[in-house]
Amino acid sequence: MNSSYAELHCHSNYSFQEGASSVEDLLFRAKDLGYRALALTDHDNLCGAMHFAQVARTLEIQTITGAEITLDDGSHLTLLAETQQGYSNLCNIISYSYISGGRKNPAFDIKHLSEMAQGLILLTGCRQGQIPSLVTEGRHREAEDLLRQYLDWFGTANVFVELQHNLVQGDTPRIRRLVDLANRYGVSPVATNNVHYHIPERHRLQDALVAISHNQSLEETHRQRRPNRHFHLKSPEEMAELFLECPQAVKNTLRIADRCGFDITRDMGYRFPDYPVPEGFTPQSFLEHLCLQAAKRRYGSITDRVQNRLDEELRLINRHNLSGFFLIYYEIIQMAREIMIELGLSDVEIPLEERPPGRGRGSSVSMLVGYLIGLSHIDPLKYNLSLERFLSDDMGSVPDIDLDFPRNIREELIKRVHEKWGWDHAALSGMISTYKMKGAIRDLGKALGLPKQDVDKLAKRVDAHSARELKLEMQELPEFRDKTDAPVWRDLIDLADQLDGFPKYLAQHPGGMIISSSPLTDMVPVQQSAIDGRYICHWDKDSIDQAGFVKIDFLALGALSQMQECLQLIEERDGHYIDLSRIDFDDQAVYGMMHQADTIGIFQVESAAQMQTVPRIRPINLTDMAYEVGAVRPGVGVNDGVTQFIQRRTQGIPWDYDHPLEQRALERTLGIILFQDQVNHVARDVAGFTPLEADQLRRAFGRKHNQSLIAFYWEKFRQGASERGVPGDVAEKIFKKFNGQYMFPESHAFAFGATAYHMAWLKYYHPLEFFVAIFNQQPMGFYNTETLKEDAKRHGITVINPDINLSMEKCTIVSGGRPTFHPPFVREEFERYTDGERGEPNSPPFVKGGWGDFRPVKPSPRPSASPLPEGEGVGGEGSDALLLGFLYVKGVGAAAASSIVQTRDSGGPFSNLGDAMERTGLQREALENLVAAGAFDSLTPDRRNALWEVGLRYRPHGYQQALPLPVEQDMAELPKQTEWEIMMDEYRTMRLHPKGHLMTMLRPYLGQDVLSSQDLLGRADGEVVTVAGMVIRRQRPLSKAVFLTLEDEFGHIPIVVWPQAFKKHRMDIKEPVLIIRGQVSRREGTMNIIAQHIRGTQGLPHMPKARSWQ
Amino acid sequence: MVQNPREAASSSPIRSLNLPALIQVEEDAHQRPLAISLRRRRLGVASVDDLWEIDEEWWRESPIVRRYYQVTTEDGRPMTIFRDLVSGEWYRQGG
């Protein structure tokens, strides 16, 4: 392209709170203006560099990787990477800026510049650069000295005097002086425009961002804001006009662009990490050795089947040079195992594969090698998992392996990986936090000086996620409806639309780590994370993937913590540890439970949407489980894919491909795109995309403000498809199936399906341990503990209020009324109050008001695979229960909870309230809440009296200690608490009411016509009914309907609120308890109520909170 | 002791200083100043020493968008003038 200017100083919105245009906006504008090259020089980071280069490559624009760095005196300098060495130096310069200046104030010490100058081109910087400021201040001698120094360090050919004319006061005289200076030293001048946005109109957003970054309003930031709208991408003609006095400066931009041949998408020079192996081994032979050893342990001997599979996998690993890659995983798993042993969760004697510390998702699931080195939990031979989809001869990229760990193991593991490899060789992936609706309203509202209370109110009221919908949302809200065209509010709407999806700051990815044998800081800047001792790299997972780095994801998965705790509890109670990799994956009893939508608390299949699809998809094996968890994803739902998949699968509805070329990609999922890999696959088969192009296409759909990019890909897709004989309308139909919503990769679905099955198995065979574990791992999953408690009750489990003399910090199992593994003293004390072995509590004060009234526990069904040892101190099965821990009580923190337990351990049980107060020294709030939660019921049965007593005895900290003096004389006659008051107190202090349900108490006040979830069972499709319940879920997915789940004393009632009803009742829906009239809708074994009228019940504070999702 | 007169220090109302004054300017095709009419005298622009633009208060009812020129006139006087880009009128800035 014949262009006479290249922009070499350009900020995207990755210059957080500075740049006001996305890289797509900038590149498409550059293309329109006829640029052939564009640099990206964000402030002190390369966060957008890979993203920028990838998009530019699609548009065939040359990119120059650079940055505007901040020196330790606060001045700026522009650096561009000419070569790979220069790029490495740039990464190091940025990394050291953070290491020396701190996470929030990167600053580079100029004296180190000389060591890192090679391969870089230096431009002397913007108005805030050292040389330009010295020149402006008339300090010419100092400016000359500094220029000489730069020349010394970089060489004359690599230093350019940067000239910027943004029509700012002082630009003309400064440029004249800078040109003089350049001429005197034989240095070339270069023009740049210090671009902060792609078009002039964006200057408003840029102004607002500056105000936001100073946490002030536009009015207050007059000095900090840029004075005009001239910081946009200008046409070559405009630039020539501005630099009429120095045309050479414009020409030099192309000279520099020509020199900067380094292409980040091509020339990174990244190598897979090496792995040091023992003497006499190669990485390949060592991996083989490890696998054979494990196979012998696992299978007893190496059968032909095992050997053949192993040979095939090792051949492919060798072919793709992946042995070092797998060995690094092996090492990490070993580290995690050591952590498990230290935490007492495993033993040196137990082989790794028997108690793996984490589990892989992704390729490892289908690989025997993964199973043998401890990456995976599933025996691929037993379940006939095919290798081909994950590791094959023509594989385009490294296999995708993520490792999930229980939370505690992951925390420690990250620390140890940092320790072992060092921050410059191992860093966490970055994650770019972005603007969404609420953040945009608050930040822009403040910048625009709108009244704070209005802004707060609006931010609270809006439901949509995307700030682009602000105007629509405001039109729906009565108090904001007439503001949509009002001055300033109008600006809020415009700017929110532009700001939506903008990067806000660099954060830490929940688990990804990159490890490298050569310094990482040669390839990507690394900086401290907000958490002490952790380091993050400047790229998010997309950029890391695109760079081809080996990324290891250590994710903390609440479900695994739950599973780990559950398995431990089973071991403690039953005496043996269950090896989940050996359970039966075809156990129809477990699937049967799921078919009944009995999935609360089960990873991946517990959401209301899953509850509706599980009974329809009716999984009966692991593959079905993968389809089940994969199907209920926004990206599948968007095109009605779930419904179509179910119809084709279960009802045999005939279907056909839109074009036969789809067959290879979509055959197994009945023509529906269920997994994200299938998008790539379809693009390759239908339109001849290369694997890389297909991947970029899929990612393009996920980007914000991507209209031009999608249009570009559509054209490419249409052409490619047409060359393969696909008619335009069919190509369009196929292309429309792609979308930017989230879908699982197939391998994730498989791994998660297996984990979901494991959890279901545990729930079915060990419900008590299952619920204790999930109670202890809160917050996690979809439901609040009140709902979990109700579900536990339905599984025959009694939940007991905390007890000052029995509870531990966390929830525990009480067997026959006593804890199964409590310190000896409790047991002794307990014996004194009980009738001996069966452990039935027989007298006050220990159990007054306690659990005598509870329904007996239904014996849990047991797996034949793991018969339970009888007796052995385990109480009668009939009375096992979940005893709430002290941590469940609001205001009792970890320190207070463990001090209660320790005091009791050392001095014996508490004899009365005064004794407990004296010995524990608990704060008043904690004491009162413990009373309200029923923890003192066994000592002082009347909670109101107990509260009175706390008041009499309590002395604030620093006063004399409470003495166990008699207080009887001061006790008053107080009315007994009603059941309602007790319940509300328990909701307030624990967010759950163990004994009953709110709806039991409300029921008598509701009309006769209000049906319960049980009554609904007999109601036919189309009947109009009224129901009531506590809202436990509000969800508003992309389809715009709102989904609610009501809970009553018998179960759940799913509600669908279509837009019209929603419009009428959008405020009522926010009430904690709702009475809804609507129509019964039944299909394929599921039932919903289609809401027609919704009203709340007023005046119920402290209700358990519904979990709300978008 | 000086007694408090209980009066404002000055009786005259607050008065703005340096208010821009409307002037006539001859422009070239690019709306750059060629000559300035001042007190019925035509002063040619000898050189443009600086030029800049401001774009302020866009969130208010009347935004301020101006292009300034720091010029030296033929008689050697420095002068700051601006073109109001909303109304198209020329002003002389201050003293």
Side-chain angles (χ1 to χ4, degrees), chain A residues 167 169-170 172 207 219 222 225 227-230, chain B residues 32 48 50-56 58-60 67:
Chain A
L167 300 179
Q169 187 172 15
T172 309
D207 281 354
E219 300 276 0
H222 175 77
R225 280 186 284 109
N228 63 40
R229 58 174 75 193
H230 285 278
Chain B
R32 285 177 296 216
V48 173
D50 196 3
L51 82 160
W52 65 96
E53 230 178 86
I54 62 163
D55 196 329
E56 257 298 328
W58 47 262
W59 55 93
R60 292 197 186 178
R67 178 176 277 211

PDB file of all heavy atoms in Angstrom, chain A residues 167 169-170 172 207 219 222 225 227-230, chain B residues 32 48 50-56 58-60 67:
ATOM      1  N   LEU A 167      -1.743  20.312  18.288  1.00  0.00           N
ATOM      2  CA  LEU A 167      -2.414  21.603  18.459  1.00  0.00           C
ATOM      3  C   LEU A 167      -2.590  21.910  19.939  1.00  0.00           C
ATOM      4  O   LEU A 167      -3.677  22.257  20.408  1.00  0.00           O
ATOM      5  CB  LEU A 167      -3.750  21.641  17.726  1.00  0.00           C
ATOM      6  CG  LEU A 167      -3.667  21.431  16.210  1.00  0.00           C
ATOM      7  CD1 LEU A 167      -5.054  21.462  15.582  1.00  0.00           C
ATOM      8  CD2 LEU A 167      -2.773  22.469  15.551  1.00  0.00           C
ATOM      9  N   GLN A 169      -0.963  24.167  23.095  1.00  0.00           N
ATOM     10  CA  GLN A 169      -0.167  25.381  23.245  1.00  0.00           C
ATOM     11  C   GLN A 169       1.290  25.023  23.524  1.00  0.00           C
ATOM     12  O   GLN A 169       1.567  24.201  24.412  1.00  0.00           O
ATOM     13  CB  GLN A 169      -0.720  26.221  24.397  1.00  0.00           C
ATOM     14  CG  GLN A 169      -0.040  27.575  24.499  1.00  0.00           C
ATOM     15  CD  GLN A 169      -0.709  28.486  25.524  1.00  0.00           C
ATOM     16  OE1 GLN A 169      -1.495  28.013  26.345  1.00  0.00           O
ATOM     17  NE2 GLN A 169      -0.412  29.764  25.475  1.00  0.00           N
ATOM     18  N   GLY A 170       2.188  25.588  22.786  1.00  0.00           N
ATOM     19  CA  GLY A 170       3.610  25.328  22.996  1.00  0.00           C
ATOM     20  C   GLY A 170       4.185  24.328  22.009  1.00  0.00           C
ATOM     21  O   GLY A 170       5.401  24.172  21.906  1.00  0.00           O
ATOM     22  N   THR A 172       4.277  24.301  18.644  1.00  0.00           N
ATOM     23  CA  THR A 172       5.038  24.859  17.521  1.00  0.00           C
ATOM     24  C   THR A 172       6.448  25.279  17.966  1.00  0.00           C
ATOM     25  O   THR A 172       7.433  24.836  17.372  1.00  0.00           O
ATOM     26  CB  THR A 172       4.267  26.022  16.880  1.00  0.00           C
ATOM     27  OG1 THR A 172       2.942  25.561  16.601  1.00  0.00           O
ATOM     28  CG2 THR A 172       4.931  26.514  15.619  1.00  0.00           C
ATOM     29  N   ASP A 207     -11.374  12.007  27.861  1.00  0.00           N
ATOM     30  CA  ASP A 207     -11.478  12.959  28.979  1.00  0.00           C
ATOM     31  C   ASP A 207     -12.068  12.272  30.198  1.00  0.00           C
ATOM     32  O   ASP A 207     -11.575  12.416  31.326  1.00  0.00           O
ATOM     33  CB  ASP A 207     -12.399  14.124  28.593  1.00  0.00           C
ATOM     34  CG  ASP A 207     -11.694  15.149  27.699  1.00  0.00           C
ATOM     35  OD1 ASP A 207     -10.477  14.993  27.487  1.00  0.00           O
ATOM     36  OD2 ASP A 207     -12.361  16.085  27.222  1.00  0.00           O
ATOM     37  N   GLU A 219     -14.976  18.373  35.604  1.00  0.00           N
ATOM     38  CA  GLU A 219     -14.765  19.766  36.021  1.00  0.00           C
ATOM     39  C   GLU A 219     -13.475  19.918  36.846  1.00  0.00           C
ATOM     40  O   GLU A 219     -12.771  20.901  36.730  1.00  0.00           O
ATOM     41  CB  GLU A 219     -15.945  20.246  36.878  1.00  0.00           C
ATOM     42  CG  GLU A 219     -17.292  20.216  36.193  1.00  0.00           C
ATOM     43  CD  GLU A 219     -17.565  21.448  35.335  1.00  0.00           C
ATOM     44  OE1 GLU A 219     -16.693  22.330  35.277  1.00  0.00           O
ATOM     45  OE2 GLU A 219     -18.647  21.504  34.705  1.00  0.00           O
ATOM     46  N   HIS A 222      -9.454  19.666  34.916  1.00  0.00           N
ATOM     47  CA  HIS A 222      -9.112  20.515  33.783  1.00  0.00           C
ATOM     48  C   HIS A 222      -7.619  20.418  33.443  1.00  0.00           C
ATOM     49  O   HIS A 222      -7.225  20.302  32.289  1.00  0.00           O
ATOM     50  CB  HIS A 222      -9.500  21.956  34.092  1.00  0.00           C
ATOM     51  CG  HIS A 222      -9.075  22.907  33.036  1.00  0.00           C
ATOM     52  ND1 HIS A 222      -9.754  23.013  31.841  1.00  0.00           N
ATOM     53  CD2 HIS A 222      -8.030  23.757  32.968  1.00  0.00           C
ATOM     54  CE1 HIS A 222      -9.124  23.909  31.089  1.00  0.00           C
ATOM     55  NE2 HIS A 222      -8.093  24.376  31.753  1.00  0.00           N
ATOM     56  N   ARG A 225      -6.578  16.768  32.044  1.00  0.00           N
ATOM     57  CA  ARG A 225      -7.123  16.306  30.773  1.00  0.00           C
ATOM     58  C   ARG A 225      -6.363  16.887  29.588  1.00  0.00           C
ATOM     59  O   ARG A 225      -5.746  17.937  29.682  1.00  0.00           O
ATOM     60  CB  ARG A 225      -8.606  16.698  30.673  1.00  0.00           C
ATOM     61  CG  ARG A 225      -9.505  15.750  31.450  1.00  0.00           C
ATOM     62  CD  ARG A 225     -10.955  16.061  31.238  1.00  0.00           C
ATOM     63  NE  ARG A 225     -11.384  17.237  31.982  1.00  0.00           N
ATOM     64  CZ  ARG A 225     -11.691  18.399  31.425  1.00  0.00           C
ATOM     65  NH1 ARG A 225     -11.613  18.571  30.121  1.00  0.00           N
ATOM     66  NH2 ARG A 225     -12.062  19.414  32.182  1.00  0.00           N
ATOM     67  N   PRO A 227      -6.112  18.918  26.188  1.00  0.00           N
ATOM     68  CA  PRO A 227      -6.918  20.107  25.918  1.00  0.00           C
ATOM     69  C   PRO A 227      -7.859  20.011  24.715  1.00  0.00           C
ATOM     70  O   PRO A 227      -8.763  20.823  24.587  1.00  0.00           O
ATOM     71  CB  PRO A 227      -5.872  21.194  25.690  1.00  0.00           C
ATOM     72  CG  PRO A 227      -4.619  20.485  25.349  1.00  0.00           C
ATOM     73  CD  PRO A 227      -4.684  19.145  25.972  1.00  0.00           C
ATOM     74  N   ASN A 228      -7.641  19.051  23.821  1.00  0.00           N
ATOM     75  CA  ASN A 228      -8.489  19.047  22.627  1.00  0.00           C
ATOM     76  C   ASN A 228      -8.682  17.658  22.059  1.00  0.00           C
ATOM     77  O   ASN A 228      -8.311  16.672  22.686  1.00  0.00           O
ATOM     78  CB  ASN A 228      -7.901  19.989  21.573  1.00  0.00           C
ATOM     79  CG  ASN A 228      -6.527  19.512  21.125  1.00  0.00           C
ATOM     80  OD1 ASN A 228      -6.298  18.322  20.962  1.00  0.00           O
ATOM     81  ND2 ASN A 228      -5.592  20.437  20.949  1.00  0.00           N
ATOM     82  N   ARG A 229      -9.241  17.596  20.850  1.00  0.00           N
ATOM     83  CA  ARG A 229      -9.579  16.309  20.226  1.00  0.00           C
ATOM     84  C   ARG A 229      -8.576  15.901  19.155  1.00  0.00           C
ATOM     85  O   ARG A 229      -8.944  15.219  18.192  1.00  0.00           O
ATOM     86  CB  ARG A 229     -10.973  16.415  19.619  1.00  0.00           C
ATOM     87  CG  ARG A 229     -11.110  17.523  18.590  1.00  0.00           C
ATOM     88  CD  ARG A 229     -12.458  17.487  17.927  1.00  0.00           C
ATOM     89  NE  ARG A 229     -13.499  17.990  18.826  1.00  0.00           N
ATOM     90  CZ  ARG A 229     -14.789  17.845  18.603  1.00  0.00           C
ATOM     91  NH1 ARG A 229     -15.199  17.199  17.536  1.00  0.00           N
ATOM     92  NH2 ARG A 229     -15.666  18.351  19.434  1.00  0.00           N
ATOM     93  N   HIS A 230      -7.340  16.317  19.300  1.00  0.00           N
ATOM     94  CA  HIS A 230      -6.371  16.044  18.232  1.00  0.00           C
ATOM     95  C   HIS A 230      -5.421  14.884  18.506  1.00  0.00           C
ATOM     96  O   HIS A 230      -4.342  14.824  17.950  1.00  0.00           O
ATOM     97  CB  HIS A 230      -5.589  17.312  17.894  1.00  0.00           C
ATOM     98  CG  HIS A 230      -6.414  18.281  17.109  1.00  0.00           C
ATOM     99  ND1 HIS A 230      -6.587  18.177  15.751  1.00  0.00           N
ATOM    100  CD2 HIS A 230      -7.167  19.335  17.501  1.00  0.00           C
ATOM    101  CE1 HIS A 230      -7.386  19.143  15.330  1.00  0.00           C
ATOM    102  NE2 HIS A 230      -7.752  19.862  16.380  1.00  0.00           N
TER     103      HIS A 230
ATOM    104  N   ARG B  32      -6.914  30.354   8.212  1.00  0.00           N
ATOM    105  CA  ARG B  32      -5.804  30.852   9.017  1.00  0.00           C
ATOM    106  C   ARG B  32      -5.761  32.373   8.889  1.00  0.00           C
ATOM    107  O   ARG B  32      -6.156  32.912   7.853  1.00  0.00           O
ATOM    108  CB  ARG B  32      -4.476  30.248   8.527  1.00  0.00           C
ATOM    109  CG  ARG B  32      -4.324  28.797   8.955  1.00  0.00           C
ATOM    110  CD  ARG B  32      -3.057  28.205   8.410  1.00  0.00           C
ATOM    111  NE  ARG B  32      -3.073  28.158   6.955  1.00  0.00           N
ATOM    112  CZ  ARG B  32      -2.532  27.161   6.238  1.00  0.00           C
ATOM    113  NH1 ARG B  32      -1.921  26.167   6.838  1.00  0.00           N
ATOM    114  NH2 ARG B  32      -2.579  27.190   4.925  1.00  0.00           N
ATOM    115  N   VAL B  48       3.191  33.188  12.478  1.00  0.00           N
ATOM    116  CA  VAL B  48       2.425  32.451  13.486  1.00  0.00           C
ATOM    117  C   VAL B  48       3.450  31.756  14.372  1.00  0.00           C
ATOM    118  O   VAL B  48       4.203  30.915  13.915  1.00  0.00           O
ATOM    119  CB  VAL B  48       1.488  31.416  12.824  1.00  0.00           C
ATOM    120  CG1 VAL B  48       0.829  30.533  13.879  1.00  0.00           C
ATOM    121  CG2 VAL B  48       0.439  32.121  11.982  1.00  0.00           C
ATOM    122  N   ASP B  50       2.753  30.241  17.364  1.00  0.00           N
ATOM    123  CA  ASP B  50       2.218  29.017  17.994  1.00  0.00           C
ATOM    124  C   ASP B  50       0.752  28.947  17.611  1.00  0.00           C
ATOM    125  O   ASP B  50       0.118  29.975  17.343  1.00  0.00           O
ATOM    126  CB  ASP B  50       2.369  29.095  19.525  1.00  0.00           C
ATOM    127  CG  ASP B  50       2.210  27.736  20.192  1.00  0.00           C
ATOM    128  OD1 ASP B  50       2.032  26.719  19.478  1.00  0.00           O
ATOM    129  OD2 ASP B  50       2.270  27.677  21.439  1.00  0.00           O
ATOM    130  N   LEU B  51       0.227  27.755  17.566  1.00  0.00           N
ATOM    131  CA  LEU B  51      -1.215  27.640  17.406  1.00  0.00           C
ATOM    132  C   LEU B  51      -1.688  26.439  18.212  1.00  0.00           C
ATOM    133  O   LEU B  51      -0.947  25.473  18.391  1.00  0.00           O
ATOM    134  CB  LEU B  51      -1.614  27.516  15.932  1.00  0.00           C
ATOM    135  CG  LEU B  51      -1.527  26.157  15.263  1.00  0.00           C
ATOM    136  CD1 LEU B  51      -2.399  26.140  14.023  1.00  0.00           C
ATOM    137  CD2 LEU B  51      -0.086  25.875  14.870  1.00  0.00           C
ATOM    138  N   TRP B  52      -2.872  26.566  18.744  1.00  0.00           N
ATOM    139  CA  TRP B  52      -3.391  25.456  19.552  1.00  0.00           C
ATOM    140  C   TRP B  52      -4.910  25.494  19.568  1.00  0.00           C
ATOM    141  O   TRP B  52      -5.515  26.495  19.189  1.00  0.00           O
ATOM    142  CB  TRP B  52      -2.817  25.483  20.972  1.00  0.00           C
ATOM    143  CG  TRP B  52      -3.203  26.652  21.824  1.00  0.00           C
ATOM    144  CD1 TRP B  52      -4.219  26.685  22.719  1.00  0.00           C
ATOM    145  CD2 TRP B  52      -2.565  27.928  21.899  1.00  0.00           C
ATOM    146  NE1 TRP B  52      -4.262  27.898  23.355  1.00  0.00           N
ATOM    147  CE2 TRP B  52      -3.259  28.693  22.873  1.00  0.00           C
ATOM    148  CE3 TRP B  52      -1.474  28.532  21.247  1.00  0.00           C
ATOM    149  CZ2 TRP B  52      -2.909  30.002  23.215  1.00  0.00           C
ATOM    150  CZ3 TRP B  52      -1.127  29.831  21.589  1.00  0.00           C
ATOM    151  CH2 TRP B  52      -1.846  30.540  22.562  1.00  0.00           C
ATOM    152  N   GLU B  53      -5.439  24.382  19.977  1.00  0.00           N
ATOM    153  CA  GLU B  53      -6.890  24.277  20.003  1.00  0.00           C
ATOM    154  C   GLU B  53      -7.338  23.831  21.371  1.00  0.00           C
ATOM    155  O   GLU B  53      -6.642  23.057  22.037  1.00  0.00           O
ATOM    156  CB  GLU B  53      -7.329  23.229  18.957  1.00  0.00           C
ATOM    157  CG  GLU B  53      -8.411  23.724  18.050  1.00  0.00           C
ATOM    158  CD  GLU B  53      -8.779  22.697  16.997  1.00  0.00           C
ATOM    159  OE1 GLU B  53      -9.612  21.829  17.276  1.00  0.00           O
ATOM    160  OE2 GLU B  53      -8.211  22.790  15.898  1.00  0.00           O
ATOM    161  N   ILE B  54      -8.488  24.309  21.791  1.00  0.00           N
ATOM    162  CA  ILE B  54      -9.062  23.749  23.016  1.00  0.00           C
ATOM    163  C   ILE B  54     -10.488  23.283  22.736  1.00  0.00           C
ATOM    164  O   ILE B  54     -11.177  23.823  21.870  1.00  0.00           O
ATOM    165  CB  ILE B  54      -9.043  24.729  24.220  1.00  0.00           C
ATOM    166  CG1 ILE B  54      -9.879  25.969  23.915  1.00  0.00           C
ATOM    167  CG2 ILE B  54      -7.637  25.109  24.623  1.00  0.00           C
ATOM    168  CD1 ILE B  54     -10.222  26.743  25.153  1.00  0.00           C
ATOM    169  N   ASP B  55     -10.832  22.260  23.483  1.00  0.00           N
ATOM    170  CA  ASP B  55     -12.149  21.651  23.297  1.00  0.00           C
ATOM    171  C   ASP B  55     -12.617  21.317  24.705  1.00  0.00           C
ATOM    172  O   ASP B  55     -12.262  20.305  25.259  1.00  0.00           O
ATOM    173  CB  ASP B  55     -11.981  20.384  22.450  1.00  0.00           C
ATOM    174  CG  ASP B  55     -13.299  19.910  21.891  1.00  0.00           C
ATOM    175  OD1 ASP B  55     -14.329  20.115  22.552  1.00  0.00           O
ATOM    176  OD2 ASP B  55     -13.268  19.319  20.796  1.00  0.00           O
ATOM    177  N   GLU B  56     -13.346  22.221  25.289  1.00  0.00           N
ATOM    178  CA  GLU B  56     -13.649  22.129  26.724  1.00  0.00           C
ATOM    179  C   GLU B  56     -15.142  22.125  27.000  1.00  0.00           C
ATOM    180  O   GLU B  56     -15.919  22.614  26.187  1.00  0.00           O
ATOM    181  CB  GLU B  56     -13.034  23.346  27.437  1.00  0.00           C
ATOM    182  CG  GLU B  56     -11.750  23.054  28.188  1.00  0.00           C
ATOM    183  CD  GLU B  56     -11.917  22.051  29.300  1.00  0.00           C
ATOM    184  OE1 GLU B  56     -13.003  21.995  29.920  1.00  0.00           O
ATOM    185  OE2 GLU B  56     -10.953  21.294  29.562  1.00  0.00           O
ATOM    186  N   TRP B  58     -17.518  20.117  27.022  1.00  0.00           N
ATOM    187  CA  TRP B  58     -18.448  19.538  26.047  1.00  0.00           C
ATOM    188  C   TRP B  58     -19.699  18.980  26.729  1.00  0.00           C
ATOM    189  O   TRP B  58     -20.698  18.716  26.089  1.00  0.00           O
ATOM    190  CB  TRP B  58     -17.753  18.479  25.193  1.00  0.00           C
ATOM    191  CG  TRP B  58     -16.920  17.487  25.979  1.00  0.00           C
ATOM    192  CD1 TRP B  58     -15.581  17.540  26.175  1.00  0.00           C
ATOM    193  CD2 TRP B  58     -17.383  16.333  26.682  1.00  0.00           C
ATOM    194  NE1 TRP B  58     -15.159  16.484  26.948  1.00  0.00           N
ATOM    195  CE2 TRP B  58     -16.253  15.733  27.278  1.00  0.00           C
ATOM    196  CE3 TRP B  58     -18.623  15.737  26.872  1.00  0.00           C
ATOM    197  CZ2 TRP B  58     -16.326  14.581  28.042  1.00  0.00           C
ATOM    198  CZ3 TRP B  58     -18.700  14.581  27.634  1.00  0.00           C
ATOM    199  CH2 TRP B  58     -17.569  14.021  28.215  1.00  0.00           C
ATOM    200  N   TRP B  59     -19.597  18.747  28.028  1.00  0.00           N
ATOM    201  CA  TRP B  59     -20.749  18.204  28.751  1.00  0.00           C
ATOM    202  C   TRP B  59     -21.725  19.299  29.183  1.00  0.00           C
ATOM    203  O   TRP B  59     -22.778  19.025  29.713  1.00  0.00           O
ATOM    204  CB  TRP B  59     -20.263  17.421  29.988  1.00  0.00           C
ATOM    205  CG  TRP B  59     -19.389  18.238  30.902  1.00  0.00           C
ATOM    206  CD1 TRP B  59     -19.787  18.956  31.976  1.00  0.00           C
ATOM    207  CD2 TRP B  59     -17.984  18.414  30.793  1.00  0.00           C
ATOM    208  NE1 TRP B  59     -18.722  19.582  32.560  1.00  0.00           N
ATOM    209  CE2 TRP B  59     -17.593  19.265  31.848  1.00  0.00           C
ATOM    210  CE3 TRP B  59     -17.002  17.951  29.902  1.00  0.00           C
ATOM    211  CZ2 TRP B  59     -16.255  19.651  32.050  1.00  0.00           C
ATOM    212  CZ3 TRP B  59     -15.692  18.341  30.116  1.00  0.00           C
ATOM    213  CH2 TRP B  59     -15.343  19.178  31.173  1.00  0.00           C
ATOM    214  N   ARG B  60     -21.335  20.559  28.945  1.00  0.00           N
ATOM    215  CA  ARG B  60     -22.233  21.652  29.334  1.00  0.00           C
ATOM    216  C   ARG B  60     -23.092  22.103  28.159  1.00  0.00           C
ATOM    217  O   ARG B  60     -22.878  21.688  27.026  1.00  0.00           O
ATOM    218  CB  ARG B  60     -21.414  22.842  29.824  1.00  0.00           C
ATOM    219  CG  ARG B  60     -20.697  22.559  31.126  1.00  0.00           C
ATOM    220  CD  ARG B  60     -20.296  23.865  31.706  1.00  0.00           C
ATOM    221  NE  ARG B  60     -19.469  23.668  32.884  1.00  0.00           N
ATOM    222  CZ  ARG B  60     -18.940  24.666  33.562  1.00  0.00           C
ATOM    223  NH1 ARG B  60     -19.131  25.909  33.161  1.00  0.00           N
ATOM    224  NH2 ARG B  60     -18.210  24.434  34.621  1.00  0.00           N
ATOM    225  N   ARG B  67      -9.794  27.751  18.260  1.00  0.00           N
ATOM    226  CA  ARG B  67      -8.429  27.574  17.775  1.00  0.00           C
ATOM    227  C   ARG B  67      -7.674  28.893  17.976  1.00  0.00           C
ATOM    228  O   ARG B  67      -8.087  29.942  17.470  1.00  0.00           O
ATOM    229  CB  ARG B  67      -8.398  27.168  16.311  1.00  0.00           C
ATOM    230  CG  ARG B  67      -6.957  27.046  15.807  1.00  0.00           C
ATOM    231  CD  ARG B  67      -6.894  26.551  14.398  1.00  0.00           C
ATOM    232  NE  ARG B  67      -6.983  25.095  14.365  1.00  0.00           N
ATOM    233  CZ  ARG B  67      -6.374  24.361  13.415  1.00  0.00           C
ATOM    234  NH1 ARG B  67      -5.680  24.941  12.453  1.00  0.00           N
ATOM    235  NH2 ARG B  67      -6.483  23.065  13.414  1.00  0.00           N
TER     236      ARG B  67
END
